[in-house]
Amino acid sequence: MSTKLSGPGPTRTPGRGPAGPGLPRTARTARHHAPITATGLAVKVVLLGLVAGIAIWAAFPLVEAEKWVGLALLAATTAGLFYLYLTPRHVPAKYLVPGTLFLIAFQVFPVLYTASTAFTNFGDGHRGSKDDAIVAIQSSSVQQVPGSTEYALSVATAGDPATGALVFLVTDPATGVVSAGNADGLRRLDPADVTVGSGGKVTAADGYTVLNFGQASARSQEITDLVVPTAGGALRSSGLSRAYEGRAIRAYDAGCDCVTDSESGKRWTADEKTGSFVAADGERLAQGWQVNVGLENFSRVLTDPNISGPFFGTLLWNFAFAIGSTGFTFLLGMAIALALHSPRMRGTNLYRVLLILPYAMPSFAMLLVWRDMFNTDFGLVNNLFGLGVDWFGEAWSARAAVLLVQLWLGYPYMFLVATGALQAIPKELTEATSVDGASPWQSFRAVTLPLLLVALSPLLIASFAYNFNNINAIWLTTEGGPFPADNPRNGATDLLITYTYRLAFGAQGAEFGTAAAVSIFIFAIVATVSAISFRNTRKQEEVYS
């Protein structure tokens, strides 16, 4: 016979678990998230749907270009976002991830793309693949030959008549078929979508705006340059109302990996290192392709006399401009702040309002005004002081002018920050130096200035970095000039940023790879100077803390 022991069973306390002491029920409930409202759920569904839509939209170009690594990264990122926002876990990450993604998209990716471009020959004539270059070479060499088919031509665009991409609307004289052609080739149009007038000329087409004679004449050079590839050669315009299918006199031979001119017999062989077709005499065809050139762009910046000479000269002036702009504005702004900080000054509020007016005005507008004020013939500066200085015609006068303009534009900012820093310095410190017998200058040098520098050093470093790349200050006043007669690409007041802009978008052709390399140098210089300055600032803070 078994004996059943009896005794008090586990007791339950309201709000506690069955096994004795535990968390109150309200505390246990607080560990779970509050229920999502209908509005919150709708917002989450909409945002996740938007993420899915963007991912699907971005996937098609990646698949078409066979960028499988990018596609895998896109899929992983999308899956991670859905997991993060469809589960109640990882609450901090829900707030950090959006900002991180925007940081990567708008900061990290552009920097990495610029850095990758610096290792290529990307620029005019080297923008696409080798196949694109071959098509461009053959198309640009198309000439009309006896027996070439001629078409009635109407010039149209799918956008604005003045700026939209041009399209040739041509009518086959044998079949009456109407086709639309651009740099990608010909596309046959449905007869129901076009209206053909006398002589086979298209007068209207769905989805296109047919240019009238005046509009077409204004874009005659673009019409002449447009080449439409066809199976038998390419279409080119002959005037504004006729087009012909010509024959390419330059053809690519895969056997020798070269381009041969059928009329002259000249041959250009592919050079994979430079992405160009090069003849035996060194002549290069204008159309090339994009290749990785390693450190060649960086080497050109440092060793090519046409680039390195202007680069180092511009670098010295760039430092002088950034230091001068920052230093002069700081000294003037601090001096005015000290004057108005004195308790003996009256009407300080009115003075402060008047002094910050340059800061309140749009800088780009003021730069244009100052440019006219420094005009040699009718400028206010020369007329007011009875001078005849050609401010923008000589190197040093142009540099002095831009520094004066920067002084006027920048001192209100320094005045404001210096005023705030002065008000934060305890009066007891300066009063103590007066009791000890220090003069006002000794008190300023020993107490006020060091404390000001501790507070304002980060702002001075940021101002230096801004002025180092202050393209507006130069481009809207001197445009980098004056230029020497033997070098139209680099002027006396050019900063590295304006020099880089001219390299990338200059009249002699874009050199994006070289410009990206110069940008990397600029980034390294500014980062190094900023790092050293911040290190010295921390040491200074330790001394006066």
Side-chain angles (χ1 to χ4, degrees):
M1 185 175 85
S2 62
T3 303
K4 185 177 182 180
L5 300 176
S6 62
T11 60
R12 289 179 178 269
T13 302
R16 297 182 181 273
L23 289 172
R25 182 171 299 169
T26 55
R28 294 201 312 271
T29 304
R31 296 171 57 185
H32 299 283
H33 297 288
I36 299 177
T37 63
T39 303
L41 181 61
V43 171
K44 179 181 287 189
V45 169
V46 171
L47 292 178
L48 289 179
L50 182 62
V51 170
I54 293 174
I56 294 172
W57 169 76
F60 284 104
L62 292 173
V63 172
E64 184 178 357
E66 299 182 355
K67 303 290 185 181
W68 308 122
V69 175
L71 183 64
L73 183 62
L74 176 66
T77 302
T78 306
L81 289 174
F82 270 80
Y83 167 77
L84 178 63
Y85 289 99
L86 289 177
T87 60
R89 301 178 181 179
H90 313 296
V91 175
K94 296 180 189 294
Y95 295 94
L96 293 175
V97 165
T100 303
L101 291 178
F102 279 111
L103 176 66
I104 293 173
F106 295 106
Q107 293 290 337
V108 177
F109 178 77
V111 170
L112 294 178
Y113 183 77
T114 301
S116 65
T117 303
F119 296 93
T120 70
N121 65 341
F122 182 47
D124 281 352
H126 299 85
R127 295 174 180 263
S129 65
K130 186 176 181 179
D131 291 338
D132 295 333
I134 292 171
V135 171
I137 291 169
Q138 294 180 153
S139 299
S140 62
S141 68
V142 169
Q143 293 184 0
Q144 188 172 10
V145 297
S148 295
T149 304
E150 290 197 355
Y151 300 84
L153 169 67
S154 294
V155 182
T157 178
D160 182 72
T163 60
L166 295 177
V167 177
F168 284 173
L169 301 179
V170 295
T171 306
D172 191 313
T175 62
V177 172
V178 177
S179 301
N182 55 19
D184 297 327
L186 280 175
R187 181 176 63 87
R188 184 171 179 174
L189 299 180
D190 190 329
D193 296 335
V194 296
T195 302
V196 181
S198 59
K201 190 176 178 65
V202 176
T203 57
D206 289 351
Y208 298 101
T209 301
V210 178
L211 305 187
N212 59 38
F213 182 80
Q215 293 169 334
S217 297
R219 306 184 65 179
S220 59
Q221 187 58 50
E222 296 177 66
I223 295 171
T224 302
D225 294 338
L226 179 58
V227 179
V228 179
T230 63
L235 278 177
R236 301 196 73 164
S237 66
S238 177
L240 300 178
S241 59
R242 306 294 294 176
Y244 65 88
E245 184 176 18
R247 180 176 60 86
I249 63 172
R250 291 179 180 176
Y252 174 73
D253 185 353
C256 64
D257 196 15
C258 62
V259 172
T260 304
D261 191 304
S262 60
E263 291 187 347
S264 64
K266 192 170 185 176
R267 176 179 296 180
W268 294 265
T269 305
D271 183 354
E272 298 294 344
K273 293 183 178 180
T274 61
S276 303
F277 287 99
V278 186
D281 59 2
E283 180 190 1
R284 297 174 182 269
L285 293 179
Q287 298 89 349
W289 60 98
Q290 185 176 337
V291 295
N292 192 325
V293 296
L295 298 175
E296 181 180 336
N297 290 324
F298 297 92
S299 176
R300 285 184 62 203
V301 172
L302 298 176
T303 60
D304 187 345
N306 295 326
I307 298 179
S308 61
F311 177 83
F312 288 110
T314 301
L315 177 61
L316 291 176
W317 158 243
N318 207 147
F319 270 108
F321 173 80
I323 295 172
S325 297
T326 304
F328 292 151
T329 55
F330 171 68
L331 292 175
L332 181 58
M334 180 183 63
I336 298 174
L338 286 170
L340 296 183
H341 188 66
S342 173
R344 291 176 294 179
M345 285 290 297
R346 296 293 181 267
T348 55
N349 290 335
L350 176 61
Y351 285 126
R352 286 169 180 163
V353 170
L354 295 176
L355 288 170
I356 64 172
L357 281 178
Y359 190 59
M361 302 295 289
S363 60
F364 74 92
M366 291 297 97
L367 288 168
L368 296 176
V369 170
W370 273 100
R371 183 188 65 184
D372 291 339
M373 289 171 63
F374 278 111
N375 185 277
T376 304
D377 300 321
F378 57 81
L380 177 64
V381 175
N382 278 354
N383 291 337
L384 184 63
F385 296 101
L387 302 175
V389 179
D390 184 7
W391 289 98
F392 297 148
E394 301 293 335
W396 289 106
S397 60
R399 290 168 178 170
V402 295
L403 285 174
L404 286 172
V405 174
Q406 282 302 103
L407 177 63
W408 187 84
L409 288 173
Y411 85 85
Y413 170 75
M414 292 299 179
F415 162 69
L416 289 174
V417 297
T419 298
L422 284 172
Q423 292 174 350
I425 298 175
K427 291 183 179 180
E428 292 80 3
L429 295 178
T430 55
E431 291 174 353
T433 58
S434 299
V435 172
D436 292 340
S439 65
W441 167 249
Q442 290 174 328
S443 176
F444 170 75
R445 188 181 61 181
V447 177
T448 305
L449 181 59
L451 293 176
L452 272 177
L453 291 177
V454 169
L456 300 183
S457 288
L459 297 176
L460 293 176
I461 296 170
S463 180
F464 170 84
Y466 173 79
N467 284 312
F468 199 87
N469 290 313
N470 194 348
I471 187 172
N472 286 344
I474 302 299
W475 202 261
L476 295 178
T477 52
T478 65
E479 296 185 356
F483 295 90
D486 59 344
N487 187 5
R489 303 178 71 177
N490 181 252
T493 57
D494 261 329
L495 304 181
L496 288 179
I497 187 66
T498 57
Y499 178 50
T500 303
Y501 179 85
R502 197 172 287 109
L503 278 178
F505 305 104
Q508 297 180 355
E511 299 180 26
F512 295 110
T514 305
V518 177
S519 299
I520 298 298
F521 278 115
I522 295 174
F523 173 78
I525 292 169
V526 174
T528 302
V529 172
S530 300
I532 295 173
S533 301
F534 277 119
R535 182 178 179 182
N536 293 334
T537 299
R538 283 194 295 269
K539 291 180 180 179
Q540 197 174 25
E541 290 174 351
E542 293 172 0
V543 172
Y544 290 95
S545 61

